[in-house]
Amino acid sequence: MEIMPSTAKTFLLRKTDEFHGLKRQAFAALLDIVDVAQLANLSPEKARAEIRSILIDVIEARKVALSTSEQETLLHDICNDVLGYGPLEPLLARDDINDIMVNGYDSIYIEVGGRIQKTDIRFRDNAQLLGVCQRIVNQVGRRVDEASPICDARLPDGSRVNVIAPPLAIDGPTLTIRKFRQDKLTLDQIASFGAISPAGAEILKIIGRVRCNVLISGGTGSGKTTLLNCLTNYIEADERIVTCEDAAELQLQQAHVVRLETRPPNLEGEGQITMRDLVRNCLRMRPERIIVGEVRGPEAFDLLQAMNTGHDGSMGTLHANSPRDAISRMESMITMGGFLLPSRTIREMIATTVDVIVHAQRLRDGSRRITHITELIGMEGDVPITEDLLVYEVSGEDATGRILGRHRSTGIGRPRFWERARYFGEEKRLAAALDAAEG
């Protein structure tokens, strides 16, 4: 009979109920012997050595026949359970994964290249999953339990985390992680991927450099935060930047950056710090630019006020289906905030304050494209007037289902921010970029 290689045997063992049962027994025995809290205080090397010693004793006591590679696999998984994020560790280590979606202990999906696929990874049970969720949110001073079952948090690398636990999540804790690349993308790299044309990337660099007020719109997973990070690369190093986020995920490269984060209410329902509180406080911090990670509510009004009171070059992202829809969303958020202002006044404030809307979209093949670079040029009656500088036109798809198209200039020779570009000495570069886009 052919002997199965130990690596292959381990690979099969990992997938069986027998393996998960053995790991459950070993983990329970480990908890009976050692204080996990004390292990967490040790260095990773010492903690791993301690766990190895205890695990070998447990295996020998239970007379379980395991090969060396199988013991290493068991040790690796239990170390991840005790010290890290359990079965999610190998997924978090992969750079090609954009999202990790855990729908209960035995149902884990990932998004790779814009496509969602199911994995064969699973947690031991919902208790282990909830323990990992609590470990993640505890790192940023938050909590998730039956009394507070919804929580936004982040990982140390900036990846965004959302947890919703029972009783709201019926089938067990649900964990969603939006991962961010460790190597910071640039507009040139985005252009090389085809998300924007080289001429369009040059226009965006100039927009970031000449302190245009920018809104980045798009749907979920369209790349808004990535694009915002790219635009901030062209902010001068001596400018003071204040960022406001629900869960800090922006990765700015400048030295003079103040990062602020909202705070949920405590057990007594007190102590909440909202996004609007942060944006309003920014005005007292002598910022040169204010960057809001995501505009979701009445803080839209305060951001517009900041843009209109000497904080040129401020930026924010929001969910919208088009640049025109982004204007309507801003108006709706201000109205829902209880501001008793006529609709025309709000629209006029948006039209005269926001210079450029950059719209990103995830296409049906999973690819991401910057589909519009649109500027606001004023009002006509009660309607804000927009003008597209660059649009993405879909021409079809290839044999593999990949969307084909091109970025096309609309032929605007002098955008509204031309004088601003002239002030910063960028008008020749802007003219060349517009000519290249048209060509």
Side-chain angles (χ1 to χ4, degrees), residues 266 273 312 343 364 371:
N266 58 22
I273 304 297
D312 293 340
S343 293
R364 68 175 184 271
T371 59

Side-chain angles (χ1 to χ4, degrees), residues 67-121:
S67 68
T68 302
S69 62
E70 290 169 347
Q71 287 186 25
E72 286 299 319
T73 298
L74 192 60
L75 172 66
H76 178 75
D77 284 3
I78 290 181
C79 284
N80 285 342
D81 289 350
V82 175
L83 306 173
Y85 304 124
L88 298 182
E89 287 283 350
L91 301 181
L92 291 169
R94 286 176 53 181
D95 287 334
D96 60 329
I97 295 177
N98 298 315
D99 291 272
I100 301 172
M101 295 151 279
V102 183
N103 310 328
Y105 77 95
D106 60 349
S107 179
I108 301 177
Y109 291 81
I110 57 175
E111 182 200 301
V112 179
R115 302 288 189 181
I116 294 177
Q117 52 190 259
K118 195 176 191 300
T119 71
D120 58 2
I121 295 173

Side-chain angles (χ1 to χ4, degrees), residues 61-296:
R62 283 165 170 69
K63 296 182 172 53
V64 179
L66 292 178
S67 68
T68 302
S69 62
E70 290 169 347
Q71 287 186 25
E72 286 299 319
T73 298
L74 192 60
L75 172 66
H76 178 75
D77 284 3
I78 290 181
C79 284
N80 285 342
D81 289 350
V82 175
L83 306 173
Y85 304 124
L88 298 182
E89 287 283 350
L91 301 181
L92 291 169
R94 286 176 53 181
D95 287 334
D96 60 329
I97 295 177
N98 298 315
D99 291 272
I100 301 172
M101 295 151 279
V102 183
N103 310 328
Y105 77 95
D106 60 349
S107 179
I108 301 177
Y109 291 81
I110 57 175
E111 182 200 301
V112 179
R115 302 288 189 181
I116 294 177
Q117 52 190 259
K118 195 176 191 300
T119 71
D120 58 2
I121 295 173
R122 71 182 202 181
F123 285 83
R124 189 170 55 251
D125 49 35
N126 279 328
Q128 184 199 12
L129 172 55
L130 184 58
V132 169
C133 293
Q134 290 170 335
R135 190 174 304 144
I136 291 173
V137 303
N138 287 345
Q139 290 175 336
V140 292
R142 301 188 177 185
R143 62 189 180 83
V144 60
D145 50 34
E146 190 170 321
S148 180
I150 299 178
C151 183
D152 288 316
R154 67 179 186 278
L155 296 178
D157 65 357
S159 296
R160 182 193 312 160
V161 176
N162 175 267
V163 178
I164 181 164
L168 301 187
I170 298 172
D171 299 321
T174 299
L175 172 67
T176 309
I177 301 175
R178 168 67 51 81
K179 287 187 62 194
F180 292 104
R181 296 169 61 108
Q182 294 307 298
D183 54 327
K184 312 301 187 294
L185 283 177
T186 65
L187 285 174
D188 290 331
Q189 288 175 307
I190 288 179
S192 70
F193 299 154
I196 186 68
S197 65
E202 195 70 15
I203 293 171
L204 290 177
K205 291 177 187 178
I206 296 168
I207 287 171
R209 163 86 173 84
V210 305
R211 299 182 64 132
C212 289
N213 293 323
V214 180
L215 287 179
I216 299 174
S217 63
T220 299
S222 59
K224 301 186 296 299
T225 302
T226 298
L227 183 53
L228 180 57
N229 275 323
C230 290
L231 280 180
T232 60
N233 287 337
Y234 304 95
I235 298 175
E236 295 295 331
D238 59 352
E239 295 184 44
R240 177 173 168 86
I241 307 166
V242 181
T243 68
C244 304
E245 302 174 81
D246 281 318
E249 57 192 3
L250 292 175
Q251 301 167 319
L252 274 64
Q253 305 304 301
Q254 288 76 9
H256 199 168
V257 178
V258 180
R259 304 170 72 207
L260 305 179
E261 188 176 57
T262 60
R263 186 176 70 185
N266 58 22
L267 283 170
E268 291 75 32
E270 300 175 349
Q272 181 179 22
I273 304 297
T274 66
M275 182 67 77
R276 190 173 181 209
D277 295 329
L278 294 184
V279 176
R280 291 168 66 182
N281 189 73
C282 280
L283 303 178
R284 307 183 186 99
M285 297 176 65
R286 204 269 179 204
E288 291 181 293
R289 301 205 197 204
I290 296 174
I291 298 178
V292 179
E294 186 171 331
V295 183
R296 296 179 178 174

